[in-house]
Amino acid sequence: MKNINAQNAMNAMEKANQRIAAFQETMDHPRPYQGQKRLYTGVDLGTAYTVLAVVDEEGTPVAGAMGFAQVVRDGLVVDYIGAVDILRELKATLEESLGVELLKAGVAYPPGTSPGDQKALHYIAEAVGFDVIAALDEPTAANNVLNIEDGAVIDIGGGTTGTAVIGQGQVVCVADEPTGGTHVSLVIAGAYRLPFAEAEKLKMDSRKHQELLPVIKPVIEKIAGIIRGHIQDHPVDRVYLVGGTSCFTGFETIVAAELQRPVIKPANPFLVTPLGIALAAAKTCSNP
């Protein structure tokens, strides 16, 4: 049974990586939309970056755009006007590239976000002209791409670490705690005596990851401890990492050592959640 589960996990990850690569291709080489299918947008308001993903009604990636914007902190919107501005700009960029208006959208939030804070995401998306038809937590959104049957999806963003435990294809529980990429950058800033913005840039330079890994290892171990607490009451055999912070080279190796179980990371963890949000919106219309 374990061998079958491992093979199924590998097959699902291969399909997920193909879909992620297709989404990345649409971002790298934008083009007008020539199809006739309805389009759906995933809105991912992150701590450092806002990302939009567009899919058609069959879930095929069509377009994507991203922009730097510090309008969210620890999963909460702290700059409403700034969030509306960056989202309006990205939406306009995509609509000009595609040659069509984007109408339907989904939004996502860290697990445990209060109803009021969840509603703020609705208002921001609606302020730029979206009809919000789907709202869900971030790790559950990510599993729309990963399609795992059993395990835990961990979304490590800039401000929070969110977990969705999956059993037999269903979300069993979700949890979230502060600690993410912002904390990694703060440690780098302190160690190298850099302004925070410069530490952020240094963190994103993969050529520096081997040098930086020992510096940030305590933060990764803390994140692994958060994950352990989230999954300890559930029979989780495998952990799947998504979110921009998990892009750091070697991140998954430290988490696996701490959790003492396999840790799997997609080819580009940063793009998984926004794509999953768009897929959630598409599913909402296909399964009314």
Side-chain angles (χ1 to χ4, degrees):
M1 180 62 71
K2 285 187 176 181
N3 289 338
I4 294 174
N5 289 341
Q7 186 61 50
N8 288 341
M10 289 177 60
N11 292 340
M13 185 54 58
E14 182 178 353
K15 291 179 181 178
N17 281 334
Q18 290 173 354
R19 186 174 246 170
I20 296 165
F23 178 35
Q24 180 71 68
E25 174 67 17
T26 69
M27 296 183 73
D28 293 340
H29 302 96
R31 62 191 65 182
Y33 181 61
Q34 303 295 337
Q36 300 298 318
K37 298 181 176 67
R38 290 170 292 182
L39 300 183
Y40 302 91
T41 305
V43 177
D44 188 3
L45 284 171
T47 300
Y49 287 90
T50 292
V51 184
L52 297 189
V54 181
V55 302
D56 66 19
E57 60 195 53
E58 295 179 351
T60 302
V62 172
M66 59 182 285
F68 182 79
Q70 294 182 309
V71 296
V72 173
R73 185 175 300 128
D74 294 340
L76 305 179
V77 177
V78 295
D79 182 357
Y80 182 90
I81 299 301
V84 170
D85 287 344
I86 184 64
L87 189 55
R88 180 180 288 115
E89 178 183 339
L90 293 175
K91 183 174 185 285
T93 297
L94 284 176
E95 289 175 337
E96 182 178 1
S97 172
L98 291 168
V100 297
E101 185 178 6
L102 299 173
L103 300 174
K104 306 291 186 180
V107 298
Y109 44 82
T113 304
S114 71
D117 291 320
Q118 292 176 23
K119 203 65 180 175
L121 299 174
H122 280 249
Y123 295 149
I124 290 167
E126 290 169 351
V128 303
F130 280 125
D131 176 17
V132 178
I133 59 173
L136 68 169
D137 66 86
E138 292 165 343
T140 299
N143 198 43
N144 285 328
V145 179
L146 303 179
N147 287 313
I148 68 169
E149 289 293 317
D150 296 281
V153 179
I154 315 297
D155 190 327
I156 309 171
T160 63
T161 294
T163 299
V165 177
I166 314 294
Q168 298 182 344
Q170 301 296 317
V171 177
V172 176
C173 77
V174 294
D176 186 74
E177 286 186 42
T179 299
T182 297
H183 304 81
V184 171
S185 298
L186 287 171
V187 168
I188 294 172
Y192 287 83
R193 298 182 179 179
L194 294 173
F196 179 81
E198 291 187 25
E200 275 276 312
K201 292 180 181 178
L202 185 61
K203 178 184 70 176
M204 296 177 66
D205 185 350
S206 60
R207 297 169 299 179
K208 296 290 187 179
H209 284 183
Q210 185 174 358
E211 174 188 337
L212 293 171
L213 194 60
V215 176
I216 69 168
K217 185 178 180 182
V219 182
I220 302 177
E221 291 173 340
K222 179 180 180 181
I223 290 172
I226 290 172
I227 298 169
R228 185 186 301 110
H230 289 171
I231 68 175
Q232 64 183 357
D233 295 329
H234 304 277
V236 173
D237 291 330
R238 292 176 182 80
V239 169
Y240 298 78
L241 299 183
V242 300
T245 302
S246 63
C247 291
F248 200 98
T249 307
F251 195 103
E252 68 277 17
T253 302
I254 296 174
V255 174
E258 290 293 310
L259 298 181
Q260 292 295 294
R261 67 196 73 198
V263 173
I264 302 167
K265 186 168 76 172
N268 191 338
F270 177 66
L271 297 181
V272 175
T273 300
L275 180 55
I277 301 169
L279 292 172
K283 286 181 179 181
T284 297
C285 280
S286 63
N287 299 295

